[in-house]
Structures are given as structure tokens and as C-alpha cells.
């Protein structure tokens, strides 16, 4: 869609408001709105100003002026606004020289794609994330100097079998038994269908929706794969729709990786493949139908996985999910079917076009622009340097002898550990000036000061259970 076509759509649909969206550094959509008549063709060239110092992880107050540059092909009609509103995703630029802002996550993703093309290895990087989420009926939490707690609840929750609900009709989902039950046990089918249809209305291509493994409202809606930057845009649109459809029905949705203790967390398994001239470069005649290039890409992902986790699993809560026993991909190995391995090669279809890698570590708390870009850079590093991934792990992890299991590398056990890996291993991200040293150092600083230390300094409720009587 061109700027002229956007303006024609505004007239055709009688749009009254234009919403400008962009991504902050940690990974949340930000926005401001202008009246429709204020948008002109020149806006697409000149941009609109805003205060960059008020955005997390961005500018200092003495150099705070920034520009948003709307991307016309990203335009869609917002289904949740009272007044007819057209939303556009924006790139961030410096107002003085109009250069693209290095800490703009979307800019990092675009640079990763351009770097890939410059190497001559591939011309398209396809990504297909499987986003999981929880839908709750109630969430409460607080942290003060003298108290701290959280509470979530769901009509489906296994813990509510004995609750007086006037009447309680049963059909609560048992722990770890939420995968594919029919209604009435699946009490969120219609809600997920509304989310799915709203996504289609907003331009996303959807393949399926279903309940996920955990009790208490875990769900998944699967999008069809798309090129890297477009898919990162789609992830933000997806999360926006899930949250707002839930809110419309008096419920709340979260992509927090581990909101429930002792049941499955929510991940974002990412399917990916590289293509050139319409040919899938990962398809071949090797292990699980992979090419040598596909194997080298696995080698790159596995080599850099501990550092990647600082970006693909960027919260302290991410590492409550990355623990053994809940289908969590804690083992840094690859396999064609083993879901406890961090990289799986799906074998659903024999078609070369369907050949891909599934990196299972990431979760939905990640910034999709940075996560996909980092994955692409790791794969390109593996391909350029012909990094061998070693032998596949096709055995059942839980049947391995302790001595054999100890030889399998593991994902980091905490965000702080992942950040330490990123400090030591980030040269592959700097190639082509995709991730700058400033972006890496700012990311590490922000995560340590605002999240790791913030959690480390606060007493945990369970510590009272363990230690109060000491």
C-alpha cells in the first residue's frame, strides 16, 4: 500500500483517527493518535515528532527529540476503537539527519534482513512463531516495602473444583491435560475463535486455534509463516488482538512465560527457514531431510544459544519456564521429533518447501524484532563458518542415564546467567552493524538494573515459608 492508497482508504472507510505505533526497547507497543485530516503525503516523508527520552531504554533528556515515520503497507483498521481508527506501524528516525535510530527494534530487524541479503546466502528469511498465552478471569498483584503477593484465577482452573460458583458445573481441566479437550471442558473456544477471526479481519493469515496443555486457560493461535520484519509486525498485532478481545469479555490475557506453578509455561516456538530465488535452502538429503546449510544453521543456533537466550528469553520469569519436566526445551541439542531438545526438525510433511528448523527456547515476553534478528544472525554465523551441530539427540531425555544426560549442554538457568553469556558472545550480532555495541550494552544494563536486580533485592513470599521460623 502506498501513501496515496492509505489516504484513499481513509476517505473510503471514513476514518476519523490515525494511530501511530512503534516498539519500545524492551518490547511493548507504544502509540499516539492524530486526527485523520492531519495525515498528508508529506507526513510519510517528514515524519512526526515525539519525546524519545520518555521511552524505556531510549534517548537522554538533552537529545530527546525523535521522529516516527509511518510505514504505509502496515496500515489496518483498528477493530477496538470507538471511533473509526486506522493504525500504522512506524520506524524511528533522528530528526537532525533523518538516519534510522539504532535502538529502534524494528530497525535492527530490517538491518538483519539487509545484512543477510548482502552476504548472498539468502534473499528471504521466513519465521513462523507459535505464540502461547493464558486467559485469566482475575489477576491481582502488589509489592510494597512490607508486603508482596500475586493471585490469578480462571474458571477452568483445576484448583477450582471445590469452589462455590452457584452452581459449580465441573469440567475443570486437570493439570497438564489442557491439550485439545472439547467444550464444555474447553470453556474458551468461542473466545479464541473471536480472537482468530479478528486477526484475519486485521490482515493476519491464521492456520488454527486450540487450547494448550496447561489448566487455567492456556491457548494458542497459529499464524502462517512470513518474512522476518513482517512477522515481527504480525506478532505485535497478534498480542494486541488477544489482549483486547479478552478485555472486551471481562477477561485478561498474558504472554508471561510462567504465571502458574507446577504446570506448563507458555513459550513461543519459532519455525524458520532461509530461501533464495524461491528455493528453500534448508531442504536436502541429510539428517531429517536437511541440507548442509540447514545443519550449519543449527550449529550456529546451538553455539550461540546461551547468549541468544538473553534476547529470546529476556525476563526473570522466562527461566521459571526453562526447567526440566514441562516439555521445556532446556537441552541445547537438536532432534527430528524430540520436544525436549531446543531445536526440532518437524517431519509432518515430506515437501522440500516445508523443511524448517524449530527453535523452541524463545517465549512471548521477547521483543520479536530483536529475537528474530538475533536468531537470523546466529544462523548466518553458522552457515558462514560451517559450524557443525554434532550428533542429534533422538533418545528420550528422561530415560538417559545421569552420566549421559550431564554431557548434554543446557540453556541458562537465569536471566543473569544468560546476560553473562551475551556479554562474552555477541560478536556475531555486530556483523553488518545489525546490533550495535550500544544496543548490546544498553540491553544488558537495562535488564540487569531494571529486572534482575529489582527481583533479587525483594523478599519472595515463599521465603517466609522457608525461613520465618529460623
Amino acid at each position: 500500500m502506498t501513501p496515496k492508497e492509505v489516504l484513499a482508504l481513509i476517505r473510503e472507510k471514513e476514518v476519523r483517527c490515525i494511530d501511530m505505533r512503534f516498539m519500545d526497547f524492551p518490547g511493548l507497543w507504544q502509540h499516539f493518535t492524530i486526527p485523520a485530516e492531519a495525515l498528508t503525503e508529506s507526513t510519510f516523508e517528514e515524519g512526526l515528532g515525539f519525546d524519545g527520552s520518555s521511552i524505556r531504554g531510549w534517548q537522554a533528556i538533552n537529545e530527546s527529540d525523535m521522529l516516527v515515520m509511518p510505514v504505509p503497507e502496515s496500515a489496518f483498521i483498528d477493530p477496538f476503537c470507538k471511533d473509526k481508527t486506522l493504525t500504522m506501524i512506524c520506524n524511528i528516525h533522528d530528526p537532525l539527519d533523518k538516519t534510522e535510530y539504532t535502538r529502534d527494534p524494528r530497525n535492527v530487524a530490517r538491518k538483519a534482513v539487509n545484512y543477510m541479503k548482502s552476504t548472498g546466502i539468502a534473499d528471504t528469511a521466513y519465521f513462523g512463531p507459535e505464540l502461547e498465552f493464558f486467559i485469566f478471569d482475575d489477576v491481582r498483584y502488589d509489592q510494597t516495602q512490607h508486603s508482596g503477593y500475586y493471585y490469578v484465577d480462571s474458571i477452568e482452573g483445576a484448583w477450582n473444583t471445590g469452589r462455590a460458583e452457584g452452581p459449580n458445573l465441573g469440567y475443570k481441566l486437570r493439570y497438564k491435560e489442557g491439550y485439545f479437550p472439547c467444550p464444555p471442558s474447553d470453556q474458551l473456544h468461542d473466545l479464541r475463535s473471536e480472537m482468530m477471526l479478528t486477526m484475519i479481519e486485521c490482515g493476519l493469515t491464521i492456520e488454527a486455534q486450540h487450547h494448550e496443555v496447561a489448566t487455567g486457560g492456556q491457548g494458542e493461535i497459529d499464524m502462517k509463516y512470513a518474512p522476518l520484519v513482517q512477522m515481527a509486525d504480525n506478532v505485535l498485532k497478534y498480542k494486541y488482538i488477544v489482549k483486547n478481545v479478552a478485555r472486551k469479555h471481562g477477561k485478561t490475557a498474558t504472554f508471561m512465560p510462567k504465571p502458574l506453578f507446577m504446570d506448563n509455561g507458555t513459550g513461543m516456538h519459532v519455525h524458520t527457514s532461509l530461501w533464495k530465488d524461491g528455493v528453500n535452502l534448508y531442504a536436502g538429503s541429510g539428517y531429517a531431510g536437511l541440507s548442509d546449510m540447514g545443519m550449519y544453521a543449527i550449529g550456529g543456533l546451538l553455539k550461540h544459544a546461551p547468549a541468544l537466550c538473553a534476547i529470546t528469553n529476556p525476563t526473570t520469569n522466562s527461566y521459571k519456564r526453562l526447567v526440566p519436566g514441562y516439555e521445556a526445551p532446556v537441552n541445547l541439542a537438536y532432534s527430528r521429533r524430540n520436544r525436549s531438545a531446543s531445536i526440532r526438525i518437524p517431519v509432518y510433511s515430506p515437501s522440500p518447501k516445508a523443511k524448517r528448523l524449530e527453535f523452541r527456547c524463545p517465549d512471548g515476553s521477547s521483543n520479536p524484532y530483536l529475537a528474530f534478528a538475533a536468531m537470523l544472525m546466529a544462523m548466518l554465523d553458522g552457515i558462514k563458518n560451517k559450524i557443525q551441530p554434532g550428533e542429534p539427540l533422538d533418545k528420550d531425555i528422561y530415560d538417559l542415564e545421569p552420566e549421559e544426560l550431564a554431557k548434554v549442554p543446557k540453556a541458562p538457568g537465569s536471566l543473569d546467567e544468560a546476560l553473562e553469556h551475551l556479554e562474552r558472545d555477541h560478536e556475531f550480532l555486530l556483523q553488518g552493524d545489525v546490533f550495535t555495541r550500544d544496543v548490546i550494552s544498553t540491553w544488558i544494563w537495562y535488564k540487569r538494573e531494571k529486572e534482575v536486580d529489582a527481583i533479587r533485592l525483594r523478599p519472595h513470599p515463599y521465603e517466609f515459608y522457608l525461613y520465618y521460623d529460623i
Side-chain angles (χ1 to χ4, degrees):
M1 191 178 295
T2 66
K4 285 185 178 180
E5 289 172 333
V6 170
L7 295 173
L9 179 66
I10 289 170
R11 292 190 294 270
E12 176 192 344
K13 300 293 184 180
E14 298 182 345
V15 169
R16 302 189 64 189
C17 304
I18 309 297
D19 204 47
M20 303 294 186
R21 301 269 174 94
F22 59 94
M23 172 68 90
D24 72 3
F25 199 52
L28 284 179
W29 243 358
Q30 309 293 313
H31 82 131
F32 64 90
T33 307
I34 63 174
E37 55 268 24
L39 183 73
T40 65
E41 280 195 66
S42 63
T43 307
F44 292 91
E45 297 178 2
E46 299 171 4
L48 297 168
F50 72 101
D51 175 10
S53 68
S54 297
I55 304 300
R56 297 183 298 171
W58 276 11
Q59 293 292 83
I61 196 166
N62 62 309
E63 48 186 18
S64 59
D65 289 353
M66 302 295 291
L67 289 177
V68 295
M69 308 291 286
V71 179
E73 58 266 29
S74 71
F76 68 98
I77 301 297
D78 193 304
F80 303 107
C81 297
K82 177 183 175 183
D83 297 302
K84 183 71 65 108
T85 299
L86 182 137
T87 292
M88 282 186 288
I89 297 171
C90 302
N91 295 322
I92 308 301
H93 288 240
D94 186 285
L96 298 180
D97 56 14
K98 294 293 181 72
T99 56
E100 297 167 331
Y101 184 43
T102 56
R103 294 189 196 175
D104 173 15
R106 195 171 192 270
N107 181 34
V108 174
R110 293 162 64 216
K111 287 195 293 182
V113 173
N114 290 335
Y115 171 70
M116 173 193 69
K117 293 177 180 178
S118 75
T119 65
I121 292 173
D123 54 35
T124 307
Y126 283 119
F127 282 78
E130 298 177 359
L131 279 147
E132 299 170 341
F133 51 89
F134 275 93
I135 300 170
F136 293 126
D137 294 291
D138 188 31
V139 55
R140 287 177 276 135
Y141 49 87
D142 199 7
Q143 177 73 61
T144 69
Q145 285 83 351
H146 66 96
S147 67
Y149 77 97
Y150 72 89
Y151 177 87
V152 295
D153 204 5
S154 166
I155 190 68
E156 285 188 351
W159 56 87
N160 280 326
T161 55
R163 183 173 68 176
E165 294 179 349
N168 188 326
L169 300 177
Y171 299 113
K172 311 301 184 188
L173 292 175
R174 289 177 288 272
Y175 295 105
K176 292 193 176 188
E177 294 188 22
Y179 196 64
F180 283 18
C182 288
S185 295
D186 178 1
Q187 300 187 44
L188 298 171
H189 166 78
D190 289 340
L191 190 60
R192 290 194 311 275
S193 287
E194 182 175 340
M195 292 171 178
M196 176 180 70
L197 295 174
T198 305
M199 290 175 186
I200 293 170
E201 177 187 334
C202 290
L204 301 184
T205 302
I206 303 299
E207 295 181 336
Q209 65 91 347
H210 59 85
H211 206 288
E212 258 298 341
V213 174
T215 187
Q218 191 180 40
E220 180 178 317
I221 302 172
D222 294 325
M223 292 183 284
K224 186 178 180 181
Y225 63 87
L228 189 155
V229 177
Q230 180 186 341
M231 179 50 75
D233 290 343
N234 290 348
V235 167
L236 301 184
K237 194 182 295 186
Y238 176 114
K239 294 175 77 171
Y240 177 73
I241 291 168
V242 166
K243 292 175 182 178
N244 279 280
V245 170
R247 187 178 186 276
K248 174 182 169 183
H249 292 272
K251 297 182 184 290
T252 177
T254 181
F255 292 84
M256 186 176 175
K258 190 75 171 183
L260 295 183
F261 176 54
M262 294 296 288
D263 209 339
N264 283 35
T266 53
M268 183 180 73
H269 306 152
V270 182
H271 297 251
T272 183
S273 59
L274 298 186
W275 292 60
K276 188 173 184 179
D277 298 328
V279 176
N280 185 352
L281 301 177
Y282 286 179
S285 57
Y287 174 80
L290 286 177
S291 65
D292 288 344
M293 188 178 290
M295 295 300 286
Y296 297 147
I298 292 175
L301 284 171
L302 291 178
K303 176 183 177 180
H304 299 298
L308 285 176
C309 284
I311 298 172
T312 62
N313 304 77
T315 66
T316 58
N317 186 253
S318 297
Y319 299 87
K320 305 295 196 298
R321 166 184 168 256
L322 285 181
V323 295
Y326 299 91
E327 292 188 17
V330 297
N331 300 288
L332 300 182
Y334 70 100
S335 171
R336 80 184 121 202
R337 300 180 76 179
N338 194 336
R339 279 177 160 79
S340 62
S342 60
I343 297 177
R344 188 175 72 95
I345 301 97
V347 293
Y348 296 127
S349 170
S351 170
K353 292 184 176 181
K355 191 54 58 183
R356 61 197 186 273
L357 311 180
E358 179 191 6
F359 188 40
R360 295 175 60 80
C361 288
D363 64 57
S365 69
S366 63
N367 183 323
Y369 297 114
L370 301 183
F372 299 163
M375 283 181 58
L376 176 58
M377 296 301 286
M379 291 188 293
L380 292 174
D381 187 63
I383 293 166
K384 286 169 57 182
N385 294 293
K386 298 186 176 181
I387 299 173
Q388 295 288 351
E391 295 299 314
L393 185 65
D394 289 332
K395 300 178 182 178
D396 186 339
I397 290 288
Y398 305 111
D399 286 341
L400 293 180
E401 294 296 327
E403 297 80 10
E404 191 175 1
L405 183 59
K407 296 177 183 177
V408 181
K410 299 293 188 293
S414 69
L415 177 57
D416 201 28
E417 182 184 342
L419 292 169
E420 289 175 1
H421 282 288
L422 182 60
E423 274 185 322
R424 295 192 296 267
D425 177 25
H426 60 258
E427 289 297 323
F428 72 101
L429 296 171
L430 303 178
Q431 302 304 305
D433 201 37
V434 173
F435 286 78
T436 63
R437 293 191 186 278
D438 170 70
V439 166
I440 297 295
S441 62
T442 302
W443 183 262
I444 293 171
W445 162 80
Y446 185 91
K447 287 292 172 179
R448 280 204 175 126
E449 180 170 303
K450 304 296 185 181
E451 299 178 31
V452 172
D453 287 349
I455 293 295
R456 180 176 59 83
L457 294 172
R458 285 165 169 79
H460 189 284
Y462 197 64
E463 289 178 319
F464 283 81
Y465 176 82
L466 292 174
Y467 308 130
Y468 187 75
D469 59 351
I470 288 177

